[in-house]
């Protein structure tokens, strides 16, 4: 058991030479990130000015207190005089009260600035998610992206609340302390400064390692969050295939990576207070020794030595705080960089300047030698077909043939590379995306519903729809009967993703949502898959009603569901192999006919392509 605990903390898993090789780029990124965060803070100029004034006041008062204590020793204690001591004590009490008030105010104002800054960051990041192209989400874990809007931004929030004031206050205190120390005794100041080279060497060794380690920690945290989100969403599959132990093992592996990176980041940064305490004791010893000798010879007073011992603590305290806050800042910068990485991602291509808005459309769509590929992989190769107004076009073919890609191009989730796609004779690239999609409705294999009432989920297709229109859409979708049998009818609140009702009922609600949108173009992607026979008949009847008078594009694997389609297009490796009606393709006795016959006999479609 002990060996299992120790194993994750083998330092060789994150080689220092890798850290050193990346140090220059990371430092440059950190500086740029800090600059960008500062730009957000600068938006609250008035409040930030008040914070700066409060910090300056608290720093000045923290220096004034020890100075007056030293004066009290020299003027009253050493001389055995009491006249004026009471006034000095009252002044000291006033100084400490004002110091406390200034600290309260600077923290109060800074919390407000931090909250507004984080609110703006989180809002911009969320808005950016909706401006990014679909391909960006296709390539990334959703949980990892969620980690950026939660954990990473919270990390920035905590740092702004704690570190910004501490760093600014420490710098001011450090400058003020050195100035007063030089005024009182340059020699004792020089003695105090002897610890700086030691401190510089120690801090340089520590910080050049902790910065990259904090970045690894944030990356491992995002990966773990993404994996947790994925496994929570896929619990049915995990349990169905009895993969609980494998999932636990993978979670342990990813969790150990996070523990490992966090362990070393915190362990190395934990050296900082130990080093600072050691240097504190060294500074006190030097001041006591040298100051005592100078006092004996009459070069300084006892009060000056007392002031210097207090200032020596104030000198190392801000350095200690700067060291600690620097590590916290590095952790926040690592999180902020991940946020800015998303904000800097290339957004979905903007509509052309001359792009038009369609008030209505007939749904006449033409593909003319359309070619498209993902990066270096060709998916569609000179695909040409025509969908006349009101026609239903079905796409069949093996996995990866290009069926879903065609749907993505129709909706402009992706832009084609060559050829042309026109809607009512207009190139779809010359139509605003929002306008194009407003004339479409989707019924997909995965019936996605929001955590809201049934009424709100149906109305999502058209937000200005009345309650009467919602119920009419549900009746057309054959969903009205089961909705009215629920405890609260249309006001029944669905759990996240519609759990609590059957898969078939979810699909009926998405059909109702498509009905209420009143689209000219309908896209159906395996809308009747994984549904029992009785519910399938209801769904098919609702879909037939929905497709009437609308141009429909259908992706189907079960060929018996598309026999009535006006045109069936068989795709293979991104090219059209056959197209025509079901009857025409059967008469051709080609690949479609073989595929159809094979499904009747229960054979796998993939075998028929051999």
């Amino acid at each position: 058991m002990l060996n299992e605990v120790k194993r994750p903390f083998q330092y060789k898993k994150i080689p220092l030479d890798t850290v050193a090789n990346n140090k220059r780029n990371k430092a440059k990124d950190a500086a740029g990130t800090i600059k960008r965060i500062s730009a957000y803070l600068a938006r609250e100029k008035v409040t930030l000015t008040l914070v700066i004034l409060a910090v300056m006041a608290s720093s000045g008062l923290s220096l004034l207190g020890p100075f007056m204590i030293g004066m009290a020793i020299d003027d009253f204690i050493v001389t055995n005089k009491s006249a004026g001591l009471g006034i000095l004590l009252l002044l000291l009490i006033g100084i400490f009260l004002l110091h406390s008030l200034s600290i309260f105010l600077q923290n109060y104002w800074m919390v407000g600035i931090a909250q507004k800054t984080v609110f703006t960051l989180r809002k911009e990041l969320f808005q950016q998610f909706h401006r990014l192209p679909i391909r960006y989400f296709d390539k990334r874990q959703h949980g990892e992206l969620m980690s950026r809007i939660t954990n990473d931004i919270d990390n920035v929030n905590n740092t702004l609340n704690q570190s910004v004031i501490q760093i600014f206050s420490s710098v001011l205190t450090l400058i003020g302390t050195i100035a007063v120390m030089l005024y009182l005794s340059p020699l004792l100041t020089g003695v105090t400064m002897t610890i700086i080279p030691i401190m510089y060497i120690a801090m340089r060794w520590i910080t050049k390692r902790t910065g990259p380690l904090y970045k690894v920690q944030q990356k491992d945290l995002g990966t773990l969050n993404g994996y947790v989100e994925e496994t929570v969403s896929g619990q049915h599959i995990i349990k169905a295939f009895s993969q609980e132990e494998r999932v636990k093992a993978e979670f342990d592996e990813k969790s150990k990576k996070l523990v490992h990176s966090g362990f070393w980041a915190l362990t190395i940064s934990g050296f900082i207070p130990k080093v600072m305490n050691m240097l504190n004791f060294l500074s006190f010893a030097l001041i006591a020794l040298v100051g005592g000798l100078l006092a004996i010879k009459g070069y300084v007073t006892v009060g000056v030595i007392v002031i210097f011992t207090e200032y020596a603590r104030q000198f190392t305290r801000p350095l200690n705080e700067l060291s600690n806050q620097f590590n916290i800042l590095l952790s926040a910068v690592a999180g902020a960089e991940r946020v800015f990485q998303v904000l800097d991602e290339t957004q979905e291509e903007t509509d052309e300047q001359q792009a038009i808005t369609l008030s209505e459309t007939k749904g006449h769509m033409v593909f003319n030698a359309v070619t498209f590929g993902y990066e270096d992989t060709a998916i569609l190769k000179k695909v040409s077909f025509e969908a006349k107004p009101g026609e239903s076009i079905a796409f069949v073919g093996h996995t990866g043939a290009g069926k879903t890609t065609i749907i993505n191009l129709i909706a402009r989730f992706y832009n084609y590379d060559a050829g042309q796609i026109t809607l009512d004779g207009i190139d779809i690239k010359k139509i605003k995306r929002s306008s194009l999609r407003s004339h479409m409705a989707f019924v997909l294999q995965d019936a996605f519903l929001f955590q809201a009432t049934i009424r709100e989920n149906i109305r999502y297709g058209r937000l200005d729809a009345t309650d009467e229109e919602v119920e009419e859409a549900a009746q057309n979708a054959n969903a009205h009967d089961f909705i009215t049998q629920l405890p609260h009818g249309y006001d029944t609140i669905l759990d996240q993703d519609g759990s609590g009702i059957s898969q078939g009922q979810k699909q009926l609600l998405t059909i109702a949502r498509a009905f209420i949108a009143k689209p000219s173009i309908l896209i159906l992607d395996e809308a009747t898959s994984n549904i029992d026979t009785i519910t399938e008949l209801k769904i098919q009847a609702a879909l037939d009603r929905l497709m009437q008078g609308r141009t429909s594009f259908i992706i189907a694997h079960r060929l018996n569901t598309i026999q009535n389609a006006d045109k069936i297009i068989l795709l293979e490796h991104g090219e059209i192999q056959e197209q025509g009606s079901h009857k025409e393709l059967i008469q051709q006795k080609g690949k479609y006919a073989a595929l159809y016959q094979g499904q009747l006999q229960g054979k796998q479609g993939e075998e028929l392509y051999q």
Side-chain angles (χ1 to χ4, degrees), residues 415-485:
N415 277 331
Y416 52 88
D417 299 327
Q420 189 180 49
I421 303 175
T422 61
L423 175 61
D424 293 348
I426 304 170
D427 192 322
I428 62 171
K429 289 184 178 180
K430 296 181 179 179
I431 304 172
K432 291 182 179 179
R433 283 183 176 83
S434 59
S435 175
L436 176 68
R437 294 167 187 167
S438 68
H439 296 287
M440 298 180 178
F442 297 77
V443 180
L444 307 178
Q445 180 177 359
D446 296 324
F448 185 85
L449 298 172
F450 295 93
Q451 188 171 359
T453 65
I454 288 179
R455 191 185 308 278
E456 289 169 334
N457 268 286
I458 295 176
R459 188 177 277 132
Y460 201 83
R462 183 163 54 86
L463 297 181
D464 60 353
T466 64
D467 289 347
E468 290 75 16
E469 289 175 316
V470 169
E471 294 185 16
E472 182 184 354
Q475 288 173 345
N476 287 328
N478 292 332
H480 179 74
D481 290 342
F482 92 80
I483 293 174
T484 55
Q485 294 174 9

Side-chain angles (χ1 to χ4, degrees), residues 95 131 164 201 224 251 356 410 414 431 488 509 526 573:
I95 288 170
R131 289 192 290 259
V164 173
I201 293 170
L224 183 66
F251 175 83
I356 63 173
I410 290 173
Y414 298 92
I431 304 172
H488 302 288
L509 291 180
E526 285 297 316
H573 304 300

